[in-house]
Amino acid sequence: MLVNFNNMLAQAKSGGFAIGSFNAYNYETIRGIIDAGSQAKSAGTIVAFGKKYLENMALEDAVAITSALAARTDMPVCLHLDHCDDIDVIRMAIAAGFTSVMYDGSALPFEQNATNTRLVCELAYAAGVSVEAELGSLAAGEQSHEGSSADREIYTDPDQAARFIAETGVDALAVSVGTVHGLYKGKPNIRIDILRAINEKAGIPLVLHGGSGIPEETITDCIHNGICKINVNTEISVYAVEKTAQALCSGERPHLSVIGKKQQKYVSEVVAKYIAFFRHQSQA
Ligand code: 13P
């Protein structure tokens, strides 16, 4: 059964670990994510499907595949609509059976972002769906799947974060503290000082976007300062594409079904690595 993320994130917050939110685009990625989580006996896994991947898979297809695979594991699975700035798409995702949504109004002025987020919360909570919103703005990476080179980095302001949470009643807040969507050009410079200040005022689970390539010790610092959900996308894609290219370089031309099975494994390998970083076992 699919669940929303509230119980998972509450457990993560009290247990001092983070739940992974891994991006999926097709059967292979959803299967690879759920298999890795089940094998690691995770407290839960979030399958994230971004609005920008709607050409790869319809919302209803994401629900059908994810719920069928979630039914075969004891691990709680949340199907989350990632980065969506369109409230109509959010309505459709909720109607289709998504158990969680992210309204991304981070490009809007504070008041507009708060007003829209409040509306999304009303819609979602009526259906038992959890809501994440974003305040501040992440910089783009070199090979980003989610951002664009026009993105500007604006750190989340701790006082604004507290006001935003009080005004919207959102379940979880994505913050901008120096992570980027995509691959890091140099050493990541994550502002733990800003994160700590946000966490002191927020009182709800915080979300870190741009998880690909963050060193394990930085992830641990983030978890100690309120991060309960960490999103990973780019590294799953980069790794699976590289391994697929290597497999094909040998000159062999395997059946497409063989490549699909290998790709599930490649996805699982990256997800398993991050699950270990997030100390994400149910006994954590
Ligand atoms: P990365 O692509 O940098 O891992 O970021 C993923 C993300 O934040 C998805 O919302």
Side-chain angles (χ1 to χ4, degrees):
M1 200 185 67
L2 297 180
V3 295
N4 69 32
F5 64 39
N6 285 328
N7 197 29
M8 290 180 202
L9 297 198
Q11 275 187 56
K13 196 165 166 56
S14 60
F17 60 99
I19 297 287
S21 177
F22 302 103
N23 284 79
Y25 341 96
N26 55 15
Y27 175 84
E28 282 74 21
T29 41
I30 298 174
R31 175 82 190 266
I33 292 164
I34 294 179
D35 281 358
S38 301
Q39 273 158 29
K41 301 202 184 326
S42 294
T45 277
I46 299 171
V47 173
F49 181 63
K51 176 189 157 228
K52 69 182 296 176
Y53 300 114
L54 274 171
E55 285 188 8
N56 294 73
M57 195 165 45
L59 294 166
E60 292 74 14
D61 300 350
V63 172
I65 298 169
T66 310
S67 40
L69 295 176
R72 292 189 215 142
T73 168
D74 293 336
M75 175 186 67
V77 177
C78 170
L79 177 60
H80 177 74
L81 180 69
D82 197 24
H83 284 289
C84 186
D85 57 2
D86 183 336
I87 297 181
D88 285 336
V89 176
I90 290 182
R91 280 183 216 275
M92 288 190 271
I94 294 171
F98 275 65
T99 49
S100 185
V101 294
M102 175 190 188
Y103 172 67
D104 184 353
S106 59
L108 299 173
F110 178 94
E111 295 300 344
Q112 192 65 57
N113 186 4
T115 302
N116 293 357
T117 300
R118 201 163 42 238
L119 172 63
V120 169
C121 288
E122 275 169 29
L123 296 170
Y125 297 165
V129 167
S130 48
V131 180
E132 173 186 340
E134 179 167 329
L135 194 62
S137 175
L138 267 63
E142 216 164 29
Q143 281 190 49
S144 179
H145 290 247
E146 296 280 341
S148 88
S149 54
D151 289 349
R152 277 187 313 133
E153 181 165 68
I154 303 169
Y155 292 122
T156 305
D157 176 81
D159 290 318
Q160 278 201 352
R163 209 180 117 210
F164 187 86
I165 292 163
E167 286 185 14
T168 61
V170 74
D171 291 316
L173 185 69
V175 293
S176 172
V177 291
T179 55
V180 301
H181 281 129
L183 297 181
Y184 288 85
K185 288 175 187 152
K187 193 173 176 297
N189 178 23
I190 313 301
R191 294 287 304 270
I192 299 293
D193 56 329
I194 297 179
L195 179 59
R196 186 176 302 118
I198 298 168
N199 189 38
E200 275 163 11
K201 295 174 189 249
I204 62 168
L206 301 177
V207 180
L208 195 69
H209 282 247
S212 296
I214 305 182
E216 186 175 4
E217 61 277 13
T218 310
I219 288 174
T220 305
D221 278 352
C222 289
I223 292 171
H224 288 156
N225 287 285
I227 294 294
C228 302
K229 169 178 179 282
I230 303 181
N231 293 12
V232 180
N233 181 9
T234 303
E235 193 172 323
I236 296 174
S237 167
V238 169
Y239 181 81
V241 169
E242 184 54 36
K243 295 289 276 186
T244 305
Q246 281 170 17
L248 295 175
C249 264
S250 64
E252 267 182 69
R253 288 292 175 264
H255 193 268
L256 188 57
S257 61
V258 175
I259 298 177
K261 262 177 29 197
K262 282 185 192 289
Q263 287 177 333
Q264 285 170 27
K265 183 169 126 345
Y266 304 149
V267 170
S268 283
E269 283 169 8
V270 178
V271 171
K273 178 184 100 170
Y274 278 99
I275 286 174
F277 283 5
F278 303 160
R279 291 174 301 144
H280 183 179
Q281 278 77 19
S282 42
Q283 60 271 35

